[in-house]
């Protein structure tokens, strides 16, 4: 259900929270004209601190049903416990989503899964708030084990203690690894909750599509500044329409034989270079082993921080000349350095064992 149609992503949009029947209908009518596939609205809102607007609850469910009847749009809302599942099903909600604060808790996910047994409704599972891929996969498995056949994952970013440009750090490597482990699972990007602001929505959505995500979930409100929750990140239906139009849509692959041949040649080069890199790394580790033995014979400490600083500083100079980014070079060399230390430690413990 959540797959692309051609190169067009599956589009989910609607307000962060349901506030009134009028707000819902007005937003939905405009979104229906823009070809949105699924209308979202939060009814039960998980808020970080007490006292914030916690959603209108079941009172808003008939409005979702009305959106469906009037516009023909399918509708979705967040559920966090069995009671909310039953209420949502009673009002004909088409798709349920599990929020980031529920995915993190296997008890909550299992309660939702048990409530869904015997009902094959599509379910979207957001990533947990913390960067733990196993929890995300575990939640997907619990829903799948309850007999749900249409499941999608939503990447909404991760909480970070350090301040980042975004409200929730995207850490793209985590959804990329999810894709590798579950290649058939549709993957969508909630650009609103990653960004936390309006200005970066396009950039994040485009990045997701460049990575071949299947769809987007975006918060849209008729009067964003007055929204009862997440005012800073919501956009009007008109701005949403412009955002979708300015996306550069890429096809997942091509049948063109010339394209395929050129790509094959480039990939062949990449494979050769990767092999060279592995040979070099193996050589470097053999050298680290010799150094380890030498230090061991002379009873010298393994870690020499002044030398490590020197290696990094030299590498940064060389990297700049070659057009390589410092953070990238630092990441690679840190990994190499850590492995060298481990190799040298292994030399030490082998000799102690003799
Ligand atoms: C939401 O979609 O409004 C929401 C609460 O999202 P998340 O679970 O990603 O914080
Ligand atoms: Mn929100």
């Amino acid at each position: 259900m959540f797959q692309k149609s051609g190169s067009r992503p599956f589009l989910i949009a609607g307000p962060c929270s349901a506030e009134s029947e009028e707000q819902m209908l007005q937003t939905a009518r405009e979104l229906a004209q823009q070809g949105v596939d699924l209308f979202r609205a939060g009814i039960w809102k998980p808020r970080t601190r007490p006292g914030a607007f916690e959603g209108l609850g079941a009172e808003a469910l008939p409005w979702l049903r009305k959106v469906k009847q009037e516009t023909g749009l399918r509708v979705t809302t967040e559920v966090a416990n069995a009671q909310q599942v039953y209420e949502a099903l009673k009002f004909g909600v088409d798709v349920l989503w599990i929020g980031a604060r529920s995915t993190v808790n296997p008890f909550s996910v299992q309660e939702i899964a048990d409530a869904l047994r015997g009902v094959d409704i599509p379910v979207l599972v957001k990533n947990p708030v913390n960067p733990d891929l196993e929890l995300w996969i575990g939640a997907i498995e619990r829903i799948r084990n309850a007999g749900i056949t249409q499941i999608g994952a939503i990447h909404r970013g991760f909480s970070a203690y350090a301040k980042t440009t975004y409200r929730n750090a995207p850490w793209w490597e985590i959804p990329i690894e999810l894709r590798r482990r579950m290649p058939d699972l549709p993957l969508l990007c909630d650009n609103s909750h990653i960004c936390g602001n309006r200005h970066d929505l396009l950039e994040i959505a485009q990045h997701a599509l460049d990575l071949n995500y299947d769809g987007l979930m975006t918060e849209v409100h008729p009067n964003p500044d007055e929204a009862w929750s997440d005012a800073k990140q919501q956009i009007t239906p008109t701005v949403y329409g412009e955002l979708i139009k300015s996306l550069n849509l890429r096809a997942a692959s091509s049948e063109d034989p010339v394209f395929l041949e050129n790509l094959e040649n480039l990939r062949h080069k990449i494979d050769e270079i990767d092999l060279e890199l592995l040979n070099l790394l193996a050589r470097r580790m053999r050298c680290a082993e010799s150094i380890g033995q030498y230090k061991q014979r002379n009873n010298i400490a393994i870690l020499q921080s002044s030398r490590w600083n020197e290696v990094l500083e030299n590498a940064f100079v060389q990297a700049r000349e070659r057009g390589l980014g410092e953070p990238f070079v630092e990441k690679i060399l840190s990994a190499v350095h850590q492995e060298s230390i481990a190799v040298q430690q292994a030399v030490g413990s082998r000799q102690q064992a003799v």
Side-chain angles (χ1 to χ4, degrees), residues 1 38-39 43-44 58 60-69 72-77 79 84-96 119 121-122:
M1 170 180 199
L38 186 62
F39 179 81
I43 283 177
W44 298 280
L61 281 167
W63 307 337
L64 265 187
R65 191 169 53 190
K66 194 139 185 205
V67 161
K68 200 169 147 176
Q69 285 161 351
L73 278 172
R74 283 176 295 182
V75 297
T76 182
T77 199
V79 288
Q84 292 169 4
V85 169
Y86 300 139
E87 303 256 19
L89 293 177
K90 210 160 58 194
F91 280 85
V93 172
D94 301 284
V95 173
L96 302 175
V119 195
I121 185 173

Side-chain angles (χ1 to χ4, degrees), residues 51 67 74 101 123 135 181 235 247 273 296 318 345 348:
V67 161
R74 283 176 295 182
R101 293 162 194 79
V123 176
L135 264 180
R181 302 253 304 260
I235 49 176
L247 286 167
I273 296 169
Q296 171 82 9
Q318 303 289 342
Q345 271 170 333

Side-chain angles (χ1 to χ4, degrees), residues 16 40 45-46 78 97 99-101 126 156 190 193 217 219 230:
C16 177
R40 65 149 281 158
K45 301 298 301 176
E78 172 173 354
W97 93 73
R101 293 162 194 79
K126 288 204 178 191
R156 52 76 80 193
D190 175 343
H193 287 89
M217 179 190 255
E219 288 186 340
D230 289 349

Side-chain angles (χ1 to χ4, degrees), residues 39 64 70 75 113 178 200 262 289 349:
F39 179 81
L64 265 187
E70 268 211 15
V75 297
L178 175 71
D200 299 318
N262 286 337
E289 186 157 352
S349 44

